[in-house]
Amino acid sequence: MVLILLGFSLAAWLYSEHLMSRMNEEWAQQLAERQVKFDKHRTLSPIIREVGLALKMASEPALIQMALHEDQPDVVKAGIALLEQYRIDFHDHSYFAAFSKSGHYYTNDASNQYHGRELRYTLSKEKESDTWFFATLAGHKDYDINVNEDTELGVTKVWINVLIRQGSKVLGVIGTGIDISEFLNEAVDTVHPGIQNLLVTRDMAIQIHPDRELINYASAFRASEKNIRLDALFRNPADIKNIQQAMDQLEKNSNTIRMLRVDFRGEKELLGIAYLPEIQWFDLTLMNTRKLSLFHDINYLPLLLVAFFLVAVLSVWGGLSHWILGPLTRLQDAMEKIEQGNLGTSPPLVGTGEIYHLSTRFRSMFEYVRETNRALEDTVKERTTLLQSVLDNAPLAIWMVDCNGRIQFVNRTFCNETGIGEKMFLQAAHYSEVLPLAQSASYRQTDRECLADGDGVHVSSEWLTFVDGEEHLLEIIKARVVDQHGMVLGMICLGADITEQKRLEEQLLQSQKMEAIGTLVGGIAHDFNNTLAAIKGNIYLARHQMNDRLVVDAKLNFIEELADRAAEMVKQLLTFARKDMVSTRPFSLTSFMNEEFKLSRSIIPENIDYSMRLSNQELIIHGDATQLQQALINLLNNARDAVAHVHQARITCALELFSVDADFLARHPEIRGEQLAHLSVEDNGAGISPDAIGHIFEPFFTTKGVGEGTGLGLSMVYGSIQTHGGVIEVESSPGQGTVFHIYLPLTEVGELPVELEEDEALEGSGETILLVDDEVAVLNTTGEVLRGLGYHVLLASNGEEGLQTYRDHAADIDVIISDAVMPKMGGVEFAGHVRRLNPDIPVIIITGYDRDWALKTRRVEVETLLKPFSIVELSRVLHKVIHPA
């Protein structure tokens, strides 16, 4: 029996030892993982806040201006005032600012001891203590975090260095610091025995450690061999290798934690490693499992069990079950619930004596873990609330959609702009349920383009109807959102309202057109007067040779050609003055330049030798002829002014095919295609000085006198060429003249459509036409022509009279021809009234204005004829509307 009892006691002891060992191992593993997460959070929290404030401060315009213009006291005063505002917000109530241009170092601390003396000293590359500044500039990282001692100010801090940028240019470094003692207390000091926390860099240089002797000061700015590394703590090369591999894995996936067993001071300890991508450091938590053991105080339990079984033979089974196995089993059940995430109920206090002590320790540690978990959850909730507040207060519309087009998130700005609630957005299956159909289709199309784009980023301009009913133009950046496995989850979209910006751009473009038109009109008026003089001369000759029909016919034909030429001048001027951008299309640049030479000849004085060399090839581009016309006139105006005081002045335009070479690609790597259209404008004028040539394309820069130019011409030329995907270069030197080179990409298209002119008028078959025009001469002449073509004609002198005539003869009238602009009632309004009476009546609007301008106030489907028109053209338009088949 004794042997049986001893055997049973031994079995019970072994089972207890196994159970305790397993519980201890699981407990240590869970506690280690939660401790690492907690350490990661408490390390990041103070730094993330300070980094966010420092990044915001670095983008302030007042600070950027201070970095650029320290020689201006008002600018420096405004910059220091801004720095003082941020000083109050920083945790340490201190700041520093160092500028690249001057090397000046400004600072103030919590005691405000440098008030009025914020400029402390000038940084020097020769001083070792200043190497941090020049290393930070050279690194081009948005921000850097480093532990260092400021020898000039006599302080040691965790420094947060943030670059000040203006575009791609680095202007200096600003930031703040966290007192090293306070940071050590918050980040790595712990009152829990057996837990030690430290922070290291990617090359294992120790940045933060409870023992200050092991801290690597200024590790980012000195040779790595001088750094105190982890191998000063871990002597086993295998441990160092395993830590290195864990760091490699965590850099790829920073959301996980790596746990290792390492040798530390002769004992096996748990090492938890977490990556902090926000500061590019690693958080290492070292845990002594022996000191954290739940059961290290009760190793004598098996001996008590043996003694108990030897003394109490009859009660062994009941006692073992009641006092040991039962409580331990309940503890194990409680641990399994905790493993499943059930942290709502504290584990029970079971048993008596050591088992009770064990359950008490277990509950104490459980409540510590639960409180830690709650603290983490509260922090996560706080950070989530902060992030939501940042997104809602951003001056951009921000939303997220999944790959199926379903809206997953909208910020407050988007909701306020559209007047649509967040709930309605999130309940919608597609854009079409919350946005107008045309807009939703466009948004979905750009979504698909973003998902298909290899870069995963798509920029577009889209219209959005605001709460006031007005359509606003948004510049939208869409970027794919991917998870840690590379799977695309959807897109994040950011929209900025650029409606006002586009309106100002259009106003600027139109003002430039008006400036150019002022010059152009003078030349056209000269040509127009010459044309009128030729018309009057030929009328005189025709009257005096009425008996010679051939001569009269020739004179009348010539008069008709002169009238067509005058009409073409007016048409070109109207096209040039049009406010909106003409739709881009393929067209022959060769033919365009040939026509522009005729038009621009009127703005070049006759004493200037003006010539053009054109390629014998048809160079086809895809673009906006009106924009290129304006750009060419601006260049010709500048050339004309440049040669104003030159003897034997000369301006030459040229167009040729250009083959792209290596030198050209090196200068303009963004150009696509092997061949380009090369357009040049050359003059032998005064040239451009070396100081000015680098600024000629800047808005409002001009070398002309007051009142002689706005300084916008060449900037508009530059913008037009950029819009067409081309480049512009300039060659000039004082006294040697100037050449502007424009290179435009060619497009591959088939033959361009050719408009064929017909010589014969088509006659009518007795149809009735209602003709409405307020000009009596035009009304009677056109009516007589129509009667000559075989039509019956009813006349009216304005829209009101025409409407009454139509009501009286509606059954007889087959076609209406009306002038666009008339007193009492214009042609477009008149056509609208008639269409309400008869939606199918054909209407032809004739106008001497630009077509789009004439019809801009009302959308009515009509045919249009521009004055002056030929009888052949009129007859064919009539035939088209009467016989649409």
Side-chain angles (χ1 to χ4, degrees):
M1 177 64 70
V2 173
L3 292 176
I4 295 174
L5 291 175
L6 287 174
F8 185 79
S9 298
L10 179 61
W13 180 82
L14 292 174
Y15 176 74
S16 299
E17 184 72 15
H18 167 73
L19 184 61
M20 294 173 190
S21 176
R22 178 187 167 197
M23 293 175 67
N24 187 59
E25 187 72 20
E26 292 178 354
W27 168 254
Q29 183 77 13
Q30 291 182 34
L31 181 61
E33 291 181 356
R34 293 184 181 275
Q35 184 65 36
V36 171
K37 291 180 180 178
F38 176 73
D39 290 340
K40 179 178 179 179
H41 159 70
R42 68 173 181 165
T43 300
L44 276 179
S45 292
I47 293 181
I48 286 179
R49 178 186 180 277
E50 300 303 284
V51 169
L53 276 176
L55 286 170
K56 182 180 178 183
M57 182 171 71
S59 65
E60 293 283 0
L63 192 60
I64 293 173
Q65 290 300 310
M66 180 180 177
L68 293 171
H69 307 291
E70 281 189 88
D71 55 336
Q72 299 181 21
D74 289 341
V75 173
V76 173
K77 181 179 180 182
I80 290 177
L82 176 71
L83 290 170
E84 286 297 312
Q85 291 176 14
Y86 276 90
R87 181 176 70 83
I88 304 304
D89 293 333
F90 282 129
H91 180 79
D92 198 45
H93 300 308
S94 67
Y95 68 83
F96 70 87
F99 300 129
S100 308
K101 186 175 179 181
S102 64
H104 287 166
Y105 183 91
Y106 296 81
T107 188
N108 203 352
D109 59 13
S111 63
N112 200 25
Q113 68 170 319
Y114 300 120
H115 176 68
R117 300 178 292 115
E118 289 82 2
L119 175 58
R120 303 305 307 152
Y121 55 88
T122 300
L123 298 165
S124 170
K125 291 184 178 179
E126 308 300 324
K127 295 176 64 176
E128 183 179 354
S129 60
D130 293 340
T131 56
W132 67 270
F133 173 71
F134 302 99
T136 302
L137 294 179
H140 290 284
K141 292 167 61 176
D142 287 339
Y143 66 86
D144 229 341
I145 299 173
N146 189 53
V147 180
N148 196 10
E149 179 182 11
D150 191 327
T151 57
E152 295 287 344
L153 301 178
V155 293
T156 301
K157 295 185 178 183
V158 178
W159 296 102
I160 297 170
N161 305 330
V162 176
L163 290 182
I164 309 172
R165 297 180 184 271
Q166 185 184 47
S168 61
K169 185 177 180 182
V170 177
L171 305 179
V173 182
I174 62 96
T176 185
I178 301 176
D179 183 81
I180 187 66
S181 298
E182 183 178 352
F183 186 80
L184 285 173
N185 183 57
E186 292 184 357
V188 300
D189 286 354
T190 176
V191 298
H192 202 295
I195 298 177
Q196 186 177 141
N197 185 228
L198 62 151
L199 301 176
V200 300
T201 64
R202 183 63 183 82
D203 59 359
M204 297 191 181
I206 299 173
Q207 295 296 298
I208 299 297
H209 191 280
D211 184 355
R212 297 196 182 190
E213 297 296 325
L214 295 176
I215 293 179
N216 241 322
Y217 297 103
S219 64
F221 313 116
R222 66 179 181 182
S224 60
E225 61 269 12
K226 297 182 179 180
N227 290 331
I228 304 174
R229 293 164 45 86
L230 281 181
D231 44 24
L233 299 177
F234 303 101
R235 305 297 184 179
N236 190 338
D239 289 341
I240 295 296
K241 182 179 180 180
N242 291 336
I243 294 172
Q244 183 69 55
Q245 291 176 348
M247 287 180 172
D248 293 340
Q249 295 169 357
L250 288 171
E251 277 190 322
K252 299 175 182 177
N253 186 2
S254 62
N255 294 324
T256 61
I257 294 172
R258 297 284 296 165
M259 302 300 299
L260 301 175
R261 284 281 185 180
V262 296
D263 290 324
F264 184 70
R265 296 177 179 173
E267 292 189 47
K268 278 288 185 181
E269 296 196 3
L270 269 178
L271 178 65
I273 308 176
Y275 182 47
L276 314 178
E278 296 84 354
I279 60 176
Q280 299 180 1
W281 287 357
F282 289 83
D283 187 318
L284 276 63
T285 301
L286 196 63
M287 306 185 71
N288 188 312
T289 56
R290 183 181 58 80
K291 293 182 179 179
L292 296 174
S293 171
L294 284 167
F295 308 109
H296 67 276
D297 292 328
I298 56 173
N299 291 330
Y300 54 88
L301 181 60
L303 295 176
L304 292 177
L305 288 174
V306 173
F308 175 78
F309 281 120
L310 290 173
V311 174
V313 174
L314 296 177
S315 60
V316 63
W317 296 107
L320 181 64
S321 175
H322 179 76
W323 301 110
I324 300 175
L325 297 181
L328 290 178
T329 300
R330 289 198 294 275
L331 277 180
Q332 184 176 14
D333 292 341
M335 288 194 67
E336 289 177 353
K337 291 180 180 179
I338 293 171
E339 285 180 344
Q340 295 169 2
N342 184 1
L343 303 179
T345 304
S346 298
L349 298 176
V350 296
T352 59
E354 294 298 327
I355 300 299
Y356 181 80
H357 178 62
L358 171 66
S359 63
T360 303
R361 289 283 305 276
F362 181 68
R363 172 181 280 190
S364 174
M365 290 188 176
F366 166 80
E367 290 178 349
Y368 168 76
V369 171
R370 182 168 62 181
E371 290 305 313
T372 301
N373 188 67
R374 285 176 178 171
L376 287 173
E377 290 176 349
D378 291 343
T379 301
V380 170
K381 183 178 180 180
E382 179 183 342
R383 301 297 294 175
T384 303
T385 302
L386 176 61
L387 177 60
Q388 183 66 47
S389 177
V390 170
L391 292 174
D392 282 340
N393 289 283
L396 302 174
I398 303 174
W399 69 99
M400 181 179 175
V401 295
D402 62 18
C403 296
N404 296 319
R406 190 180 187 94
I407 299 173
Q408 302 295 313
F409 167 81
V410 291
N411 73 336
R412 187 185 303 154
T413 302
F414 197 25
C415 295
N416 292 341
E417 288 178 346
T418 59
I420 301 172
E422 179 184 7
K423 185 176 181 181
M424 185 176 294
F425 269 120
L426 299 182
Q427 289 178 344
H430 299 284
Y431 285 118
S432 57
E433 297 183 14
V434 288
L435 298 179
L437 188 59
Q439 293 178 7
S440 64
S442 178
Y443 278 55
R444 188 65 187 123
Q445 177 61 30
T446 54
D447 284 352
R448 287 190 284 266
E449 292 172 0
C450 178
L451 290 173
D453 196 327
D455 296 333
V457 178
H458 185 275
V459 181
S460 63
S461 295
E462 306 286 346
W463 290 100
L464 180 67
T465 302
F466 275 26
V467 65
D468 58 4
E470 295 291 330
E471 285 192 338
H472 289 240
L473 186 62
L474 268 60
E475 183 176 61
I476 299 176
I477 301 175
K478 296 185 176 182
R480 286 186 303 205
V481 178
V482 298
D483 62 13
Q484 63 268 30
H485 305 296
M487 180 178 293
V488 179
L489 303 178
M491 287 150 292
I492 184 71
C493 312
L494 292 85
D497 187 356
I498 59 171
T499 309
E500 182 65 15
Q501 174 186 336
K502 286 296 182 183
R503 185 185 67 80
L504 294 176
E505 288 178 0
E506 291 174 359
Q507 288 181 352
L508 186 61
L509 178 64
Q510 187 65 10
S511 69
Q512 266 297 293
K513 284 186 178 181
M514 293 303 102
E515 181 181 339
I517 284 175
T519 303
L520 189 61
V521 166
I524 288 182
H526 176 267
D527 288 352
F528 205 80
N529 286 332
N530 288 342
T531 301
L532 292 177
I535 290 174
K536 293 180 70 174
N538 278 275
I539 292 174
Y540 175 82
L541 293 174
R543 282 177 175 171
H544 286 74
Q545 301 183 53
M546 293 292 290
N547 296 329
D548 191 337
R549 181 175 178 81
L550 293 176
V551 172
V552 172
D553 192 52
K555 298 300 180 186
L556 291 176
N557 286 336
F558 188 52
I559 289 172
E560 185 175 20
E561 291 178 7
L562 292 171
D564 289 341
R565 188 185 305 169
E568 186 64 26
M569 292 180 193
V570 174
K571 181 179 179 181
Q572 288 177 329
L573 193 59
L574 287 173
T575 300
F576 185 77
R578 186 177 301 164
K579 185 175 182 180
D580 58 331
M581 179 176 176
V582 179
S583 299
T584 59
R585 60 180 178 83
F587 65 91
S588 169
L589 190 59
T590 310
S591 302
F592 167 83
M593 289 297 296
N594 191 40
E595 290 300 319
E596 283 308 305
F597 179 69
K598 299 175 185 176
L599 176 65
S600 60
R601 193 67 187 87
S602 62
I603 67 172
I604 305 299
E606 296 176 355
N607 64 315
I608 297 175
D609 180 10
Y610 178 41
S611 62
M612 182 171 293
R613 300 192 310 272
L614 295 179
S615 169
N616 55 7
Q617 297 175 279
E618 286 290 337
L619 303 182
I620 309 301
I621 68 168
H622 193 280
D624 178 350
T626 301
Q627 274 200 351
L628 291 180
Q629 184 182 47
Q630 181 180 351
L632 182 61
I633 287 180
N634 278 330
L635 291 177
L636 289 173
N637 280 340
N638 285 349
R640 179 200 61 199
D641 295 341
V643 300
H645 304 292
V646 175
H647 181 61
Q648 295 183 343
R650 183 181 71 257
I651 298 175
T652 304
C653 291
L655 178 65
E656 61 186 0
L657 184 65
F658 174 76
S659 296
V660 175
D661 55 24
D663 291 340
F664 187 85
L665 275 179
R667 298 196 308 271
H668 307 288
E670 72 279 7
I671 284 293
R672 298 291 181 266
E674 297 179 355
Q675 291 188 319
L676 306 172
H678 176 203
L679 190 159
S680 63
V681 177
E682 180 180 2
D683 67 67
N684 64 340
I688 305 172
S689 68
D691 293 337
I693 200 166
H695 303 281
I696 59 174
F697 294 118
E698 296 175 3
F700 306 109
F701 178 82
T702 180
T703 58
K704 299 178 181 179
V706 177
E708 296 179 5
T710 63
L712 295 173
L714 286 179
S715 66
M716 297 300 295
V717 172
Y718 182 84
S720 296
I721 303 307
Q722 289 285 308
T723 301
H724 286 77
V727 296
I728 182 170
E729 296 180 336
V730 59
E731 294 180 50
S732 184
S733 57
Q736 301 300 315
T738 302
V739 185
F740 284 91
H741 299 277
I742 295 173
Y743 301 90
L744 298 171
L746 299 174
T747 185
E748 295 182 3
V749 296
E751 292 187 2
L752 296 176
V754 178
E755 297 183 2
L756 300 177
E757 293 188 1
E758 300 287 348
D759 294 332
E760 297 184 3
L762 300 177
E763 296 188 355
S765 302
E767 293 89 351
T768 299
I769 298 175
L770 173 57
L771 178 64
V772 185
D773 200 309
D774 62 314
E775 289 289 339
V776 177
V778 175
L779 183 67
N780 292 334
T781 302
T782 306
E784 187 175 346
V785 168
L786 292 172
R787 293 187 187 96
L789 290 174
Y791 295 101
H792 177 64
V793 182
L794 299 175
L795 303 179
S797 59
N798 57 60
E800 289 183 354
E801 185 179 332
L803 183 59
Q804 186 59 48
T805 303
Y806 180 79
R807 287 172 175 157
D808 296 339
H809 302 278
D812 302 322
I813 296 174
D814 299 294
V815 183
I816 294 175
I817 301 176
S818 175
D819 190 17
V821 180
M822 298 180 292
K824 296 185 179 180
M825 182 187 293
V828 178
E829 182 182 0
F830 164 59
H833 286 296
V834 172
R835 281 284 170 79
R836 283 192 283 274
L837 298 174
N838 182 1
D840 300 324
I841 185 72
V843 178
I844 302 172
I845 297 293
I846 56 177
T847 178
Y849 297 92
D850 175 79
R851 178 187 185 279
D852 293 340
W853 183 91
L855 302 180
K856 67 179 180 179
T857 58
R858 190 80 57 84
R859 294 182 178 178
V860 181
E861 292 297 327
V862 296
E863 290 289 332
T864 56
L865 271 176
L866 295 180
K867 297 178 182 179
F869 49 82
S870 69
I871 305 306
V872 172
E873 186 179 4
L874 174 62
S875 71
R876 294 192 175 278
V877 173
L878 278 170
H879 189 272
K880 174 184 174 182
V881 299
I882 294 173
H883 307 287

